[in-house]
Amino acid sequence: LKLSAWVLQATARGSLTRSECDARARRFARDVIAKAGVDLHVNGGDNLPPDRPFVYMSNHQSMFDIPVMWAVLPAQTLRFVAKTELFSTPIWGRAMRVGEMIEVDRSNREQAIGALERGAELIRSGVSVWIAPEGHRSDTGKLGPLKKGGFHLAKNAGVDIVPVAVNGTINVLPPHELKVRQNQRVDVIIGEPIAVADRSVDELIDALHDFFGDQVDEDVLLAS
């Protein structure tokens, strides 16, 4: 709520900038992670230029993925794709729109296509985008089918896909729970970019699926 309130106040003052929005979001994310006592381990991403836009794609274990991605992805400017239901949340939803997050209504094909076009415009202006191509959180830690929208977004924007594996956030904030569980381990693996040039969407899906198959622990058990 504090982050959302700041976004709206900065907008009202006409002082909201992308760089300050990113800095605030990262501070917020790191504070949330620290307060939860998360034992966070990150591998990879050291050679990714922060000023080069990418489409980051991760598996989706928990709502806690959001602060983790803000904290660890090596992007100078980062925005994310989210389902339209999140944008109906009071204060937070309005702040997401003002902060240039990308709203996708999966029940409205025309809106979804338009949203991805706006996402491509953001990327062309230098913004990296994070998307969870499963489209929803996993209730079990197991991977769901990968939807094509994010792959079309990367191809339309002409940027490479960076695969990201997340293991353990399901133990921090399990499905259908509101209480954060303390002192859980989270591992994030940031892979090498997947070039989109001269590859079909189906080929890109296969490449990401192979990465997830190697790096995502589908047998993760919820902490007691």
Side-chain angles (χ1 to χ4, degrees):
L1 288 176
K2 288 182 179 179
L3 178 62
S4 299
W6 173 82
V7 169
L8 297 177
Q9 289 168 3
T11 302
R13 294 194 304 265
S15 60
L16 182 68
T17 65
R18 282 179 177 172
S19 59
E20 181 63 13
C21 189
D22 279 284
R24 292 265 185 161
R26 288 192 185 92
R27 287 199 295 270
F28 162 78
R30 289 165 182 161
D31 185 52
V32 168
I33 290 167
K35 287 182 177 178
V38 170
D39 181 18
L40 181 61
H41 296 257
V42 184
N43 290 305
D46 296 337
N47 297 322
L48 294 174
D51 58 347
R52 177 182 169 187
F54 294 99
V55 172
Y56 290 89
M57 291 193 180
S58 76
N59 59 307
H60 196 6
Q61 289 192 345
S62 166
M63 285 297 291
F64 208 83
D65 293 345
I66 296 174
V68 168
M69 291 298 102
W70 275 108
V72 307
L73 293 183
Q76 184 171 292
T77 301
L78 180 70
R79 300 295 181 267
F80 60 82
V81 176
K83 60 184 180 180
T84 195
E85 290 84 353
L86 289 178
F87 289 82
S88 63
T89 306
I91 304 177
W92 172 251
R94 185 179 168 202
M96 286 173 63
R97 287 195 179 94
V98 170
E100 299 182 295
M101 305 306 166
I102 303 165
E103 178 182 0
V104 174
D105 184 350
R106 290 173 294 184
S107 67
N108 186 329
R109 176 178 171 79
E110 184 176 346
Q111 188 279 341
I113 292 173
L116 294 178
E117 290 174 352
R118 290 191 295 277
E121 291 174 3
L122 270 180
I123 293 169
R124 295 186 194 106
S125 72
V127 176
S128 287
V129 169
W130 166 54
I131 185 169
E134 293 169 274
H136 55 79
R137 300 188 306 278
S138 172
D139 284 343
T140 63
K142 295 188 180 298
L143 288 166
L146 305 182
K147 301 183 184 300
K148 294 184 176 182
F151 300 92
H152 284 294
L153 171 62
K155 285 185 67 67
N156 290 345
V159 297
D160 293 344
I161 294 167
V162 176
V164 182
V166 181
N167 293 303
T169 52
I170 195 171
N171 292 332
V172 182
L173 187 59
H176 315 299
E177 291 190 19
L178 298 177
K179 184 178 179 180
V180 170
R181 297 182 179 182
Q182 296 288 313
N183 305 319
Q184 302 296 324
R185 174 168 176 144
V186 172
D187 290 273
V188 179
I189 302 98
I190 302 173
E192 294 297 319
I194 299 170
V196 302
D198 302 320
R199 289 188 181 182
S200 68
V201 166
D202 286 341
E203 288 172 330
L204 294 172
I205 289 175
D206 287 343
L208 185 64
H209 197 274
D210 288 345
F211 173 85
F212 285 162
D214 290 337
Q215 303 296 343
V216 174
D217 180 8
E218 288 193 294
D219 296 321
V220 62
L221 298 176
L222 293 179
S224 60

